Amino acid sequence: MTSRYRVEYALKTHRRDQFIEWIKGLLAVPFVLYSQPQGVFEGQDGNLLLQTREEAHRRYSEILRDVELMIDDHIVHQNDSQNPFPSKLKLLVPSIGPFFTRLPLEAAFKLQDRKRYISSRRFVSPSFNDIRLILNTAQIMAVTTHGSLQLATFDGDVTLYDDGQSLEPNSPVIPRLIDLLRKNVKIGIVTAAGYTTAERYYSRLHGLLNHIANSTELTSIQKKSLIIMGGEANYLFEFDTTAEHLLRPVPMNEWLTPEMATWSEKDITSLLDVAEVALQDCIKSLNLPATLMRKDRAVGIIPLNPEIRIPRESLEETVLVVQKILELSTAGRSRRVPFCAFNGGRDVFVDIGDKSWGVTVCQRWFSAAATTGDGLDEGKSFIKGENTLHVGDQFLSAGANDFRARSVGTTAWIASPAETVDLLDELADLMDKKMV
C-alpha cells in the first residue's frame, strides 16, 4: 500500500542515497518535457507516441552519458593524490565515495529501458528503483565486459533467500551460483548471522552446500572456491566435502588481516559493554517487546517471541541511538575497534567489524589459497576491488550493513532474492558473450 506516511518516511535523510536521488532529479526534467500525459485523453496517433518515446529515450541517454563522463573525471581525481581539488561530481554529490571501475551508464540504461520501458511511461517518472537497477547493470558490465570478475560476495537474508529463511534445494539462486563456480569465480557469503558452529550455517545454506558436494560438473578446486564469512567479519568457514556439515571452521590465526589482529579483546569487550547498556536503554525508553542477546563478538536485541514484529521505526531509532552513543563513547572515539550497528529487519545488532572487513578477508583468502594452498600470505597480491562484486540489500547510510562494502569493491544493490536471480542472469549473459 502506498501512503503519504510511507512516502514521507522514505524521504528521511537516513533512508536516502544521495547519488541515486541526484540522478533521479536530473531525469525528472526530460520526463516533464517529453512525457505527453495528455495523449491518454486526446487519443494521439501511434507515430507521435513513438516520436515522444524516442525523444525521451534520447534525452535520458544523453544525461546518463554526461553522468558517466563525470564519474570518469571523478576517478581521475581520486587516483591523483597530488590534486587537492574535488571533482565536479564530488561538489554536486558530497557523499559520493570511491569508484573502482568506470560505469557505462548509457549502455546500462538502454538495456534496462528494453526491459522496463522507462521511456514509454507518461505518468511515472524514472524512479529510485529504475536508477538502482541501471547502476547495477552498469556495474556488472564494468566487471565483465570491461574487466574480469574474480570474486562475488553475497549477503544472506533478502539477497540469497527470504528474510529468516534458508537456501532450500529448489532455490533458483543455486544453479546460478554453481555457474559462477564453474566459471572459476570465487564466492563468499558474507552474512551478519554470527554462528560459531558449521551446523548452524549448514541449516541455512544446506541446499547450496549439498548441491556443490554432489556436483559432477565442478572440480575439487572449484568446490573449495566457496567460503562463509559470518558475523560480518568474525567467523570463517571453508567448503569441505569431508567435513561433517560440509564446512570446515578456519581458525582465526589463519585468516585475520594484520589490522584485525590488533583488535584487543579488552577493547572489544569495552565496546560491546557500551552497546549493551545503550540497547537496554532503548528497550526501556521505546517499550520494545525485545530481549537482549550477547555473543562473544556481537550484542543485539531480538523479539521476545518469533511471531512479534517490532515496528521498523523503532528498530531504526534503536540503530541510530546506539550508533551515536558508541561513536561518542571512549571506546568508539579511540577507533581501535570498528563496529557496525544495523537493522536486521526483525532485530538490531552491533557487530565487531563490518562487511568491508568481511569482503577484504575473502579477497585475501582466495588469493593466498590459490598461491599457497591455504591461509593468508603477506607476500602475495590480493583480489582487487575492481575484480570484486558484492551483492546485498542494505546500502542505505544508516542501519545498513552492506553499505561499507562499497569501500573495498564494486557493489550491486538488490531488493529481493528474485532480483538476485535477475542480476545473476545478466551477469552470466555478459560473461558468456565475453567468452565467445
Side-chain angles (χ1 to χ4, degrees):
M1 179 183 73
T2 300
S3 66
R4 179 182 176 186
Y5 161 77
R6 287 186 63 188
V7 170
E8 290 178 346
Y9 186 77
L11 293 178
K12 299 294 184 183
T13 302
H14 68 282
R15 293 190 58 80
R16 296 171 66 184
D17 182 289
Q18 289 187 7
F19 184 48
I20 293 180
E21 294 292 343
W22 176 69
I23 296 176
K24 182 180 172 184
L26 295 178
L27 297 180
V29 175
F31 172 78
V32 171
L33 294 176
Y34 297 102
S35 60
Q36 301 286 347
Q38 75 277 14
V40 173
F41 312 108
E42 296 176 357
Q44 292 180 353
D45 63 69
N47 289 333
L48 184 57
L49 290 177
L50 178 61
Q51 292 174 7
T52 299
R53 180 168 64 249
E54 289 177 347
E55 183 63 18
H57 179 88
R58 182 183 68 82
R59 294 295 295 271
Y60 291 155
S61 297
E62 289 176 348
I63 288 173
L64 288 168
R65 187 190 316 130
D66 288 339
V67 175
E68 185 177 324
L69 294 175
M70 284 190 200
I71 293 173
D72 291 342
D73 172 68
H74 180 78
I75 292 173
V76 171
H77 277 72
Q78 76 181 21
N79 293 338
D80 184 1
S81 59
Q82 303 301 316
N83 188 348
F85 303 106
S87 66
K88 181 178 181 180
L89 183 60
K90 184 70 173 178
L91 292 172
L92 292 169
V93 188
S95 64
I96 202 72
F99 287 84
F100 291 91
T101 66
R102 68 182 310 275
L103 292 181
L105 292 176
E106 183 182 9
F109 164 72
K110 290 178 178 178
L111 189 152
Q112 285 294 336
D113 200 26
R114 289 195 293 271
K115 292 182 177 181
R116 300 173 68 83
Y117 300 94
I118 301 168
S119 302
S120 299
R121 300 202 302 244
R122 287 178 281 179
F123 285 91
V124 178
S125 62
S127 69
F128 184 97
N129 282 333
D130 290 328
I131 299 163
R132 176 176 59 81
L133 293 173
I134 291 169
L135 288 169
N136 285 351
T137 297
Q139 191 60 84
I140 63 173
M141 284 179 171
V143 297
T144 54
T145 306
H146 306 290
S148 174
L149 180 62
Q150 299 176 21
L151 169 65
T153 61
F154 298 86
D155 177 37
D157 290 84
V158 189
T159 300
L160 295 179
Y161 40 81
D162 290 327
D163 190 25
Q165 302 303 309
S166 302
L167 198 52
E168 300 295 341
N170 61 350
S171 169
V173 171
I174 292 177
R176 291 159 175 86
L177 295 179
I178 297 297
D179 183 59
L180 283 180
L181 291 173
R182 189 174 55 80
K183 292 172 178 171
N184 296 315
V185 175
K186 313 298 183 184
I187 293 179
I189 298 177
V190 184
T191 173
Y195 308 136
T196 57
T197 63
E199 182 179 6
R200 296 292 302 277
Y201 287 110
Y202 176 80
S203 69
R204 301 295 301 275
L205 304 168
H206 60 275
L208 174 63
L209 297 175
N210 289 335
H211 195 118
I212 294 175
N214 298 326
S215 175
T216 58
E217 59 181 326
L218 296 177
T219 67
S220 58
I221 293 177
Q222 289 170 336
K223 289 183 178 182
K224 292 197 71 173
S225 295
L226 170 74
I227 59 175
I228 315 299
M229 172 54 71
E232 310 282 0
N234 289 296
Y235 312 101
L236 183 64
F237 292 83
E238 181 182 39
F239 182 85
D240 187 344
T241 54
T242 65
E244 181 181 2
H245 298 289
L246 301 177
L247 291 171
R248 176 182 77 88
V250 183
M252 272 191 172
N253 66 305
E254 293 185 25
W255 58 265
L256 281 179
T257 69
E259 299 86 354
M260 296 170 78
T262 65
W263 304 348
S264 72
E265 290 300 321
K266 179 181 177 181
D267 289 335
I268 290 172
T269 300
S270 175
L271 190 142
L272 292 178
D273 286 345
V274 174
E276 181 174 335
V277 172
L279 287 167
Q280 288 176 331
D281 288 343
C282 286
I283 291 176
K284 294 177 182 178
S285 63
L286 298 174
N287 194 29
L288 301 177
T291 185
L292 198 76
M293 175 179 285
R294 178 74 178 254
K295 302 179 181 181
D296 61 336
R297 292 216 159 195
V299 62
I301 58 171
I302 60 174
L304 291 170
N305 186 309
E307 297 179 358
I308 295 176
R309 293 301 299 262
I310 300 174
R312 178 177 59 183
E313 295 83 354
S314 296
L315 294 175
E316 294 199 356
E317 172 73 10
T318 300
V319 168
L320 295 170
V321 167
V322 173
Q323 182 172 291
K324 185 56 66 176
I325 288 174
L326 285 172
E327 289 172 350
L328 297 176
S329 69
T330 302
R333 291 199 309 272
S334 70
R335 297 182 180 274
R336 288 193 292 267
V337 177
F339 67 89
C340 177
F342 67 95
N343 171 7
R346 297 172 178 267
D347 50 36
V348 170
F349 267 89
V350 175
D351 283 334
I352 297 301
D354 56 57
K355 287 194 178 178
S356 69
W357 294 99
V359 174
T360 296
V361 170
C362 294
Q363 292 170 328
R364 298 166 70 93
W365 177 264
F366 283 122
S367 290
T371 307
T372 66
D374 203 4
L376 298 181
D377 185 339
E378 289 306 306
K380 307 300 177 184
S381 61
F382 307 115
I383 295 176
K384 297 179 180 179
E386 58 263 35
N387 305 119
T388 302
L389 177 68
H390 177 72
V391 182
D393 68 293
Q394 294 200 28
F395 282 99
L396 293 169
S397 58
N401 60 354
D402 291 302
F403 179 77
R404 295 182 188 176
R406 286 178 170 174
S407 65
V408 295
T410 70
T411 58
W413 183 352
I414 56 82
S416 67
E419 278 196 9
T420 301
V421 170
D422 292 340
L423 181 84
L424 291 176
D425 284 343
E426 275 188 40
L427 185 62
D429 183 55
L430 290 168
M431 293 179 77
D432 289 341
K433 287 179 180 178
K434 186 175 182 179
M435 292 177 181
V436 175

